[in-house]
Amino acid sequence: MNIYKNPKRETWSELTKRPVFKKQEIAQTIKEIFAEVEKNGDEALIRYAEKFDSAKIDQLQVTEKEISKAADLISEELKSAIQIAKENITKFHASQVVETEKIETTKGVICWRENRAIEKVGIYIPGGTAPLFSTVLMLAIPAQLAGCQEIILCTPPDKNGNVNPAILYTAQLCGVSKIFKVGGAQAVAAMTFGTETIPNVYKIFGPGNQFVVAAKDFAQEFGIAIDMPAGPSEVLVIADEKAVPEFCAADLLSQAEHGSDSQVIFISTDLKVLNETINEVKKQIKELPRNEFAQKSLNNSHFILLNSIDEALEFSNLYAPEHLILAVENFEKYISQIQNAGSVFLGNYSCESAGDYASGTNHTLPTNGFAKNYSGVSLDSFVKKITFQNLSKEGLQNLGKTIEIMAEAEGLSAHKNAVSIRLK
Amino acid sequence: MNIYKNPKRETWSELTKRPVFKKQEIAQTIKEIFAEVEKNGDEALIRYAEKFDSAKIDQLQVTEKEISKAADLISEELKSAIQIAKENITKFHASQVVETEKIETTKGVICWRENRAIEKVGIYIPGGTAPLFSTVLMLAIPAQLAGCQEIILCTPPDKNGNVNPAILYTAQLCGVSKIFKVGGAQAVAAMTFGTETIPNVYKIFGPGNQFVVAAKDFAQEFGIAIDMPAGPSEVLVIADEKAVPEFCAADLLSQAEHGSDSQVIFISTDLKVLNETINEVKKQIKELPRNEFAQKSLNNSHFILLNSIDEALEFSNLYAPEHLILAVENFEKYISQIQNAGSVFLGNYSCESAGDYASGTNHTLPTNGFAKNYSGVSLDSFVKKITFQNLSKEGLQNLGKTIEIMAEAEGLSAHKNAVSIRLK
């Protein structure tokens, strides 16, 4: 833990820095995996499953039988929790459908936009320490709402060649068309090129380790779109004197437990709240099963005392956190000052885990400062907006001269002629 | 010109292929330019201006005096054309502002999204054979509407160290804060890192040659967002028996004159219209000042006879054209079948140049098949959408159990505890 009391503004830029990735080192590995998958398809994937996941599988696609068996392996309690989360996420993302409005910009010139689903999308769900079925909800629900025709999901098998049943159950519940036992960079390569079994897709979504992240970046070179660039998860909590240190500490730890590279920043305008939160963190961490991750993450965390909420928000906008918790009494008056953040949690009862699971907002959010120039995943992420225009003869008569003059000024005679020939 | 009569479906995939870029060859050059600009700033830019643009300049920023002089160098006729285009583009893009709606997903749980402008954006405008002031309109207008605080523009100087007056005039008219005489990959590098004179930005927009395109891709590695990946410009025209061959030919040529790598595809369901359009193209091309570009582009163009408009649209969706012209009598009934396209022009009087300049739609559009997974530039391109949520105590009581169950199932105890500690 690093503690700063009213740090000078000149130091803020240093305090908002993220750890630097070493991308180059794995670039060659990623290239090789892509080349292998492009050339040898399924055979390469089965080979990689044995090499990287220690799993002997003879079939990449999860069968109907495996999926229906998964439902039996999950408690009714969890099923109903997933159902409630699904309803909330659906409600919020359905509200993002925008009606198309036709605009007559000049008499006889009508312009509008229409949404079209991206036809084929791929979702990557990591294996590893936490079976992220919540991420299946966050990606498959808007994909289905958008109307994507093919929604495939890749996730690594465990040592026995199985996929976590909660992931399977959630995937089938949310309209995923096909599920494949493929993990890592090879999964991204498979969705990029397609194999005998796995269809190629136009856009790839989902979190993953540094190999998956690098593979998604590399996939872009083959014309594949991705949800957003990635980095370790982060939270920045701003607390005034009315904030509850126990709650703040719990929120910081819920971020810290994600992984040792998680970024945690706490800012308070009240020294007592700052100190008590630090003590609470030290107390609560002892109870956590994942306290090894949490401790490593906390070693790099910043606890900062600042003079005012305004100043805290200035710092936050500079940092551009993935998650921003505003544990502040009159949070309404500060909303308009928030410029850069992925998702914002307002007040003492809006814990980050609400948004991680079930409030309805999406938890796939920009990290690593990308909240300055990227939005989180939403319904928009699964559609393209096509512009349409219709000029009547009268419309072209009204606007033709303008187009001709501009085309001529740009030296593009054929552009001008396309108008002139129609007005003749 | 390649002419195909009812080509078999097995051949369509080949017919929709784009020429492949040679990205690798220039990657090293781009890297070097970025390193130079990062290290030496303005000095490097002034050196590159002499090397690449043959321009001796001692000041990178265009002065107030140069800008006000530019207004005198432009005809009143052009000024008023630019004004009309500006009004239409403003009208259409202003209609893209979406009101935020608050959704109560569970009683006491309120979620919504708010737009925030990307604070600093950069626009690149190429020099070269056509002074693209129209692209200034297309990028600066939505940037200003979105509320971007800093809108800078880079464009290469001519041999005398000047910038085209129409570009300067349009830039100041549309709220560009600063204009710099910097072109090519070095301009992209300057906007990525910032120099003594040029501020860094969070997102870079605009067209350019292969160096600019590669530089924009490379800028992403430093956390900069870009408008979209790029390729040569394209049009696909679908014409029925009521289409006018003179108009179709003019549209094809207005695309072909952009450059020798422009992609032109013509599909008709009527052999007479196909043949007459080919003849018209041959006739009209003779009159064009840029006929050398147009001829090269036409050498690679496809003229295709198909059985029906339905079939033509299937082909078009596979190709995913930047511009799609539907010169078809009952175009309304086909709109819903259009899945992949950047911008669509409906009917005999909707020529592409209308959208290129003045109808109101944006002309920065996905090429190279990217219309399958990307939208063109719109107001959305200049904002992030931040999600907000507020849970009341009652809200967390209603949703808390759901969150706890899901967090536990993912093995994330601290996530669960952030709820439990509040419900205690």
Side-chain angles (χ1 to χ4, degrees), chain B residues 357-392:
Chain B
Y357 289 110
S359 66
T361 59
N362 208 292
H363 79 199
T364 306
L365 295 165
T367 54
N368 204 28
F370 289 119
K372 286 179 181 164
N373 40 13
Y374 289 89
S375 309
V377 163
S378 71
L379 195 78
D380 307 338
S381 313
F382 295 88
V383 301
K384 304 101 51 180
K385 299 193 180 202
I386 304 179
T387 50
F388 288 83
Q389 58 199 287
N390 174 232
L391 284 80
S392 64

mmCIF file of all heavy atoms in Angstrom, chain B residues 357-392:
data_model
loop_
_atom_site.group_PDB
_atom_site.id
_atom_site.type_symbol
_atom_site.label_atom_id
_atom_site.label_comp_id
_atom_site.label_asym_id
_atom_site.label_seq_id
_atom_site.Cartn_x
_atom_site.Cartn_y
_atom_site.Cartn_z
ATOM 1 N N TYR B 357 -20.448 14.819 -50.302
ATOM 2 C CA TYR B 357 -20.303 16.241 -50.019
ATOM 3 C C TYR B 357 -21.364 16.868 -49.130
ATOM 4 O O TYR B 357 -21.028 17.608 -48.210
ATOM 5 C CB TYR B 357 -20.261 17.026 -51.346
ATOM 6 C CG TYR B 357 -18.999 16.805 -52.111
ATOM 7 C CD1 TYR B 357 -18.982 16.080 -53.292
ATOM 8 C CD2 TYR B 357 -17.796 17.297 -51.615
ATOM 9 C CE1 TYR B 357 -17.794 15.859 -53.981
ATOM 10 C CE2 TYR B 357 -16.606 17.085 -52.292
ATOM 11 C CZ TYR B 357 -16.612 16.367 -53.484
ATOM 12 O OH TYR B 357 -15.440 16.159 -54.146
ATOM 13 N N ALA B 358 -22.618 16.621 -49.409
ATOM 14 C CA ALA B 358 -23.570 17.611 -48.899
ATOM 15 C C ALA B 358 -24.925 17.105 -48.429
ATOM 16 O O ALA B 358 -25.698 17.880 -47.877
ATOM 17 C CB ALA B 358 -23.782 18.664 -49.976
ATOM 18 N N SER B 359 -25.261 15.830 -48.627
ATOM 19 C CA SER B 359 -26.611 15.408 -48.236
ATOM 20 C C SER B 359 -26.770 15.437 -46.722
ATOM 21 O O SER B 359 -27.861 15.675 -46.211
ATOM 22 C CB SER B 359 -26.908 14.011 -48.781
ATOM 23 O OG SER B 359 -26.058 13.075 -48.160
ATOM 24 N N GLY B 360 -25.678 15.190 -46.012
ATOM 25 C CA GLY B 360 -25.748 15.200 -44.558
ATOM 26 C C GLY B 360 -25.132 13.953 -43.936
ATOM 27 O O GLY B 360 -24.662 13.980 -42.803
ATOM 28 N N THR B 361 -25.120 12.839 -44.672
ATOM 29 C CA THR B 361 -24.504 11.606 -44.157
ATOM 30 C C THR B 361 -22.990 11.755 -44.151
ATOM 31 O O THR B 361 -22.441 12.589 -44.852
ATOM 32 C CB THR B 361 -24.876 10.396 -45.027
ATOM 33 O OG1 THR B 361 -24.423 10.632 -46.356
ATOM 34 C CG2 THR B 361 -26.383 10.171 -45.034
ATOM 35 N N ASN B 362 -22.341 10.922 -43.373
ATOM 36 C CA ASN B 362 -20.892 11.000 -43.281
ATOM 37 C C ASN B 362 -20.232 10.218 -44.407
ATOM 38 O O ASN B 362 -20.733 9.168 -44.804
ATOM 39 C CB ASN B 362 -20.409 10.473 -41.929
ATOM 40 C CG ASN B 362 -19.105 11.140 -41.523
ATOM 41 O OD1 ASN B 362 -18.077 10.929 -42.143
ATOM 42 N ND2 ASN B 362 -19.164 11.978 -40.496
ATOM 43 N N HIS B 363 -19.133 10.723 -44.926
ATOM 44 C CA HIS B 363 -18.456 9.989 -46.006
ATOM 45 C C HIS B 363 -17.245 9.187 -45.516
ATOM 46 O O HIS B 363 -16.561 8.562 -46.322
ATOM 47 C CB HIS B 363 -18.111 10.913 -47.186
ATOM 48 C CG HIS B 363 -16.882 11.778 -47.006
ATOM 49 N ND1 HIS B 363 -16.663 12.892 -47.775
ATOM 50 C CD2 HIS B 363 -15.817 11.705 -46.167
ATOM 51 C CE1 HIS B 363 -15.511 13.457 -47.420
ATOM 52 N NE2 HIS B 363 -14.977 12.748 -46.449
ATOM 53 N N THR B 364 -16.988 9.204 -44.206
ATOM 54 C CA THR B 364 -15.909 8.364 -43.662
ATOM 55 C C THR B 364 -16.519 7.013 -43.314
ATOM 56 O O THR B 364 -17.213 6.869 -42.315
ATOM 57 C CB THR B 364 -15.268 9.031 -42.434
ATOM 58 O OG1 THR B 364 -14.867 10.354 -42.798
ATOM 59 C CG2 THR B 364 -14.069 8.240 -41.955
ATOM 60 N N LEU B 365 -16.262 6.036 -44.168
ATOM 61 C CA LEU B 365 -17.027 4.784 -44.145
ATOM 62 C C LEU B 365 -16.105 3.569 -44.184
ATOM 63 O O LEU B 365 -14.968 3.659 -44.643
ATOM 64 C CB LEU B 365 -17.942 4.747 -45.379
ATOM 65 C CG LEU B 365 -19.041 5.828 -45.425
ATOM 66 C CD1 LEU B 365 -19.630 5.927 -46.814
ATOM 67 C CD2 LEU B 365 -20.114 5.533 -44.394
ATOM 68 N N PRO B 366 -16.605 2.425 -43.713
ATOM 69 C CA PRO B 366 -15.765 1.213 -43.728
ATOM 70 C C PRO B 366 -15.571 0.654 -45.139
ATOM 71 O O PRO B 366 -16.531 0.446 -45.869
ATOM 72 C CB PRO B 366 -16.559 0.234 -42.857
ATOM 73 C CG PRO B 366 -17.984 0.718 -42.913
ATOM 74 C CD PRO B 366 -17.900 2.209 -43.061
ATOM 75 N N THR B 367 -14.296 0.429 -45.498
ATOM 76 C CA THR B 367 -13.938 -0.143 -46.803
ATOM 77 C C THR B 367 -13.450 -1.574 -46.595
ATOM 78 O O THR B 367 -13.496 -2.092 -45.480
ATOM 79 C CB THR B 367 -12.775 0.675 -47.404
ATOM 80 O OG1 THR B 367 -11.728 0.709 -46.428
ATOM 81 C CG2 THR B 367 -13.207 2.091 -47.723
ATOM 82 N N ASN B 368 -13.011 -2.203 -47.693
ATOM 83 C CA ASN B 368 -12.241 -3.446 -47.587
ATOM 84 C C ASN B 368 -13.009 -4.573 -46.884
ATOM 85 O O ASN B 368 -12.405 -5.462 -46.279
ATOM 86 C CB ASN B 368 -10.939 -3.133 -46.805
ATOM 87 C CG ASN B 368 -9.836 -4.123 -47.107
ATOM 88 O OD1 ASN B 368 -9.796 -4.701 -48.203
ATOM 89 N ND2 ASN B 368 -8.966 -4.357 -46.147
ATOM 90 N N GLY B 369 -14.326 -4.538 -46.937
ATOM 91 C CA GLY B 369 -15.143 -5.562 -46.292
ATOM 92 C C GLY B 369 -15.442 -5.278 -44.832
ATOM 93 O O GLY B 369 -16.173 -6.030 -44.183
ATOM 94 N N PHE B 370 -14.901 -4.179 -44.295
ATOM 95 C CA PHE B 370 -15.101 -3.855 -42.886
ATOM 96 C C PHE B 370 -16.549 -3.445 -42.577
ATOM 97 O O PHE B 370 -16.908 -3.312 -41.407
ATOM 98 C CB PHE B 370 -14.137 -2.757 -42.435
ATOM 99 C CG PHE B 370 -12.711 -3.226 -42.345
ATOM 100 C CD1 PHE B 370 -11.717 -2.650 -43.110
ATOM 101 C CD2 PHE B 370 -12.373 -4.261 -41.492
ATOM 102 C CE1 PHE B 370 -10.400 -3.081 -43.033
ATOM 103 C CE2 PHE B 370 -11.054 -4.710 -41.406
ATOM 104 C CZ PHE B 370 -10.072 -4.122 -42.183
ATOM 105 N N ALA B 371 -17.357 -3.247 -43.620
ATOM 106 C CA ALA B 371 -18.777 -2.948 -43.368
ATOM 107 C C ALA B 371 -19.479 -4.148 -42.733
ATOM 108 O O ALA B 371 -20.609 -4.037 -42.274
ATOM 109 C CB ALA B 371 -19.464 -2.539 -44.670
ATOM 110 N N LYS B 372 -18.797 -5.303 -42.706
ATOM 111 C CA LYS B 372 -19.360 -6.454 -41.986
ATOM 112 C C LYS B 372 -19.291 -6.277 -40.473
ATOM 113 O O LYS B 372 -20.083 -6.870 -39.742
ATOM 114 C CB LYS B 372 -18.594 -7.736 -42.359
ATOM 115 C CG LYS B 372 -18.940 -8.237 -43.744
ATOM 116 C CD LYS B 372 -18.144 -9.490 -44.094
ATOM 117 C CE LYS B 372 -18.500 -9.944 -45.499
ATOM 118 N NZ LYS B 372 -17.526 -10.897 -46.050
ATOM 119 N N ASN B 373 -18.308 -5.512 -40.005
ATOM 120 C CA ASN B 373 -18.132 -5.403 -38.550
ATOM 121 C C ASN B 373 -17.877 -3.993 -38.017
ATOM 122 O O ASN B 373 -17.703 -3.832 -36.814
ATOM 123 C CB ASN B 373 -17.037 -6.362 -38.051
ATOM 124 C CG ASN B 373 -15.836 -6.446 -38.979
ATOM 125 O OD1 ASN B 373 -15.677 -5.626 -39.876
ATOM 126 N ND2 ASN B 373 -14.976 -7.423 -38.761
ATOM 127 N N TYR B 374 -17.915 -3.003 -38.888
ATOM 128 C CA TYR B 374 -17.701 -1.619 -38.444
ATOM 129 C C TYR B 374 -18.781 -0.700 -39.026
ATOM 130 O O TYR B 374 -19.274 -0.950 -40.123
ATOM 131 C CB TYR B 374 -16.332 -1.099 -38.913
ATOM 132 C CG TYR B 374 -15.151 -1.706 -38.199
ATOM 133 C CD1 TYR B 374 -14.556 -2.871 -38.678
ATOM 134 C CD2 TYR B 374 -14.624 -1.113 -37.060
ATOM 135 C CE1 TYR B 374 -13.459 -3.443 -38.028
ATOM 136 C CE2 TYR B 374 -13.529 -1.665 -36.410
ATOM 137 C CZ TYR B 374 -12.950 -2.830 -36.900
ATOM 138 O OH TYR B 374 -11.865 -3.379 -36.250
ATOM 139 N N SER B 375 -19.084 0.374 -38.285
ATOM 140 C CA SER B 375 -19.956 1.422 -38.793
ATOM 141 C C SER B 375 -19.100 2.549 -39.346
ATOM 142 O O SER B 375 -17.933 2.675 -39.001
ATOM 143 C CB SER B 375 -20.820 2.002 -37.676
ATOM 144 O OG SER B 375 -21.483 0.998 -36.961
ATOM 145 N N GLY B 376 -19.693 3.398 -40.159
ATOM 146 C CA GLY B 376 -19.021 4.617 -40.571
ATOM 147 C C GLY B 376 -18.930 5.586 -39.404
ATOM 148 O O GLY B 376 -19.480 5.357 -38.323
ATOM 149 N N VAL B 377 -18.236 6.698 -39.640
ATOM 150 C CA VAL B 377 -18.117 7.720 -38.604
ATOM 151 C C VAL B 377 -19.474 8.386 -38.373
ATOM 152 O O VAL B 377 -20.231 8.625 -39.317
ATOM 153 C CB VAL B 377 -17.049 8.777 -39.010
ATOM 154 C CG1 VAL B 377 -17.181 10.052 -38.179
ATOM 155 C CG2 VAL B 377 -15.655 8.192 -38.838
ATOM 156 N N SER B 378 -19.776 8.629 -37.133
ATOM 157 C CA SER B 378 -21.006 9.324 -36.760
ATOM 158 C C SER B 378 -20.710 10.097 -35.482
ATOM 159 O O SER B 378 -19.570 10.104 -35.008
ATOM 160 C CB SER B 378 -22.129 8.322 -36.519
ATOM 161 O OG SER B 378 -21.879 7.600 -35.320
ATOM 162 N N LEU B 379 -21.718 10.702 -34.926
ATOM 163 C CA LEU B 379 -21.529 11.377 -33.641
ATOM 164 C C LEU B 379 -20.968 10.405 -32.600
ATOM 165 O O LEU B 379 -20.135 10.776 -31.761
ATOM 166 C CB LEU B 379 -22.868 11.946 -33.159
ATOM 167 C CG LEU B 379 -22.745 12.956 -32.036
ATOM 168 C CD1 LEU B 379 -22.296 14.316 -32.554
ATOM 169 C CD2 LEU B 379 -24.054 13.092 -31.288
ATOM 170 N N ASP B 380 -21.422 9.143 -32.667
ATOM 171 C CA ASP B 380 -20.964 8.120 -31.725
ATOM 172 C C ASP B 380 -19.444 7.994 -31.693
ATOM 173 O O ASP B 380 -18.863 7.611 -30.675
ATOM 174 C CB ASP B 380 -21.525 6.735 -32.088
ATOM 175 C CG ASP B 380 -23.032 6.732 -32.252
ATOM 176 O OD1 ASP B 380 -23.688 7.640 -31.704
ATOM 177 O OD2 ASP B 380 -23.555 5.840 -32.940
ATOM 178 N N SER B 381 -18.808 8.246 -32.828
ATOM 179 C CA SER B 381 -17.365 8.062 -32.934
ATOM 180 C C SER B 381 -16.593 9.050 -32.058
ATOM 181 O O SER B 381 -15.414 8.851 -31.800
ATOM 182 C CB SER B 381 -16.908 8.241 -34.384
ATOM 183 O OG SER B 381 -17.732 7.514 -35.268
ATOM 184 N N PHE B 382 -17.269 10.117 -31.626
ATOM 185 C CA PHE B 382 -16.581 11.160 -30.869
ATOM 186 C C PHE B 382 -16.954 11.162 -29.390
ATOM 187 O O PHE B 382 -16.576 12.061 -28.652
ATOM 188 C CB PHE B 382 -16.863 12.530 -31.500
ATOM 189 C CG PHE B 382 -16.294 12.648 -32.883
ATOM 190 C CD1 PHE B 382 -17.025 12.241 -33.992
ATOM 191 C CD2 PHE B 382 -15.002 13.107 -33.080
ATOM 192 C CE1 PHE B 382 -16.493 12.305 -35.268
ATOM 193 C CE2 PHE B 382 -14.463 13.177 -34.350
ATOM 194 C CZ PHE B 382 -15.208 12.773 -35.451
ATOM 195 N N VAL B 383 -17.735 10.181 -28.977
ATOM 196 C CA VAL B 383 -18.121 10.105 -27.562
ATOM 197 C C VAL B 383 -17.821 8.727 -26.979
ATOM 198 O O VAL B 383 -17.638 7.756 -27.714
ATOM 199 C CB VAL B 383 -19.633 10.393 -27.351
ATOM 200 C CG1 VAL B 383 -20.010 11.772 -27.868
ATOM 201 C CG2 VAL B 383 -20.500 9.317 -27.994
ATOM 202 N N LYS B 384 -17.724 8.683 -25.642
ATOM 203 C CA LYS B 384 -17.788 7.415 -24.931
ATOM 204 C C LYS B 384 -19.142 7.402 -24.238
ATOM 205 O O LYS B 384 -19.664 8.449 -23.853
ATOM 206 C CB LYS B 384 -16.726 7.334 -23.828
ATOM 207 C CG LYS B 384 -15.307 7.547 -24.236
ATOM 208 C CD LYS B 384 -14.777 8.925 -23.938
ATOM 209 C CE LYS B 384 -14.996 9.371 -22.500
ATOM 210 N NZ LYS B 384 -14.461 10.734 -22.247
ATOM 211 N N LYS B 385 -19.668 6.212 -24.046
ATOM 212 C CA LYS B 385 -20.903 6.096 -23.281
ATOM 213 C C LYS B 385 -20.555 5.477 -21.931
ATOM 214 O O LYS B 385 -20.095 4.341 -21.863
ATOM 215 C CB LYS B 385 -21.917 5.253 -24.044
ATOM 216 C CG LYS B 385 -22.249 5.914 -25.367
ATOM 217 C CD LYS B 385 -23.440 5.358 -26.083
ATOM 218 C CE LYS B 385 -23.598 6.149 -27.382
ATOM 219 N NZ LYS B 385 -24.916 6.106 -27.937
ATOM 220 N N ILE B 386 -20.745 6.240 -20.884
ATOM 221 C CA ILE B 386 -20.436 5.772 -19.537
ATOM 222 C C ILE B 386 -21.714 5.236 -18.907
ATOM 223 O O ILE B 386 -22.764 5.869 -19.009
ATOM 224 C CB ILE B 386 -19.873 6.919 -18.681
ATOM 225 C CG1 ILE B 386 -18.638 7.539 -19.351
ATOM 226 C CG2 ILE B 386 -19.547 6.450 -17.270
ATOM 227 C CD1 ILE B 386 -18.020 8.704 -18.587
ATOM 228 N N THR B 387 -21.651 4.043 -18.301
ATOM 229 C CA THR B 387 -22.827 3.556 -17.584
ATOM 230 C C THR B 387 -22.772 4.033 -16.138
ATOM 231 O O THR B 387 -21.702 4.147 -15.541
ATOM 232 C CB THR B 387 -22.918 2.019 -17.608
ATOM 233 O OG1 THR B 387 -21.672 1.453 -17.203
ATOM 234 C CG2 THR B 387 -23.270 1.508 -18.991
ATOM 235 N N PHE B 388 -23.959 4.308 -15.607
ATOM 236 C CA PHE B 388 -24.103 4.733 -14.215
ATOM 237 C C PHE B 388 -25.086 3.800 -13.537
ATOM 238 O O PHE B 388 -26.010 3.311 -14.171
ATOM 239 C CB PHE B 388 -24.654 6.161 -14.148
ATOM 240 C CG PHE B 388 -23.670 7.213 -14.560
ATOM 241 C CD1 PHE B 388 -23.482 7.526 -15.902
ATOM 242 C CD2 PHE B 388 -22.924 7.891 -13.612
ATOM 243 C CE1 PHE B 388 -22.557 8.494 -16.287
ATOM 244 C CE2 PHE B 388 -22.008 8.866 -13.984
ATOM 245 C CZ PHE B 388 -21.819 9.165 -15.324
ATOM 246 N N GLN B 389 -24.881 3.578 -12.245
ATOM 247 C CA GLN B 389 -25.905 2.864 -11.512
ATOM 248 C C GLN B 389 -25.981 3.354 -10.087
ATOM 249 O O GLN B 389 -24.994 3.742 -9.488
ATOM 250 C CB GLN B 389 -25.683 1.371 -11.538
ATOM 251 C CG GLN B 389 -24.389 0.896 -10.998
ATOM 252 C CD GLN B 389 -24.144 -0.510 -11.533
ATOM 253 O OE1 GLN B 389 -24.774 -1.461 -11.126
ATOM 254 N NE2 GLN B 389 -23.247 -0.607 -12.495
ATOM 255 N N ASN B 390 -27.211 3.384 -9.608
ATOM 256 C CA ASN B 390 -27.443 3.748 -8.218
ATOM 257 C C ASN B 390 -28.379 2.720 -7.596
ATOM 258 O O ASN B 390 -29.495 2.524 -8.066
ATOM 259 C CB ASN B 390 -28.058 5.148 -8.124
ATOM 260 C CG ASN B 390 -28.457 5.507 -6.707
ATOM 261 O OD1 ASN B 390 -29.575 5.909 -6.456
ATOM 262 N ND2 ASN B 390 -27.548 5.321 -5.742
ATOM 263 N N LEU B 391 -27.864 2.028 -6.573
ATOM 264 C CA LEU B 391 -28.700 1.107 -5.812
ATOM 265 C C LEU B 391 -29.030 1.774 -4.483
ATOM 266 O O LEU B 391 -28.127 2.221 -3.765
ATOM 267 C CB LEU B 391 -27.960 -0.212 -5.532
ATOM 268 C CG LEU B 391 -27.842 -1.208 -6.709
ATOM 269 C CD1 LEU B 391 -26.722 -0.801 -7.649
ATOM 270 C CD2 LEU B 391 -27.644 -2.622 -6.199
ATOM 271 N N SER B 392 -30.311 1.852 -4.183
ATOM 272 C CA SER B 392 -30.700 2.296 -2.851
ATOM 273 C C SER B 392 -30.479 1.123 -1.892
ATOM 274 O O SER B 392 -30.181 0.002 -2.321
ATOM 275 C CB SER B 392 -32.162 2.713 -2.851
ATOM 276 O OG SER B 392 -32.965 1.583 -3.135
#
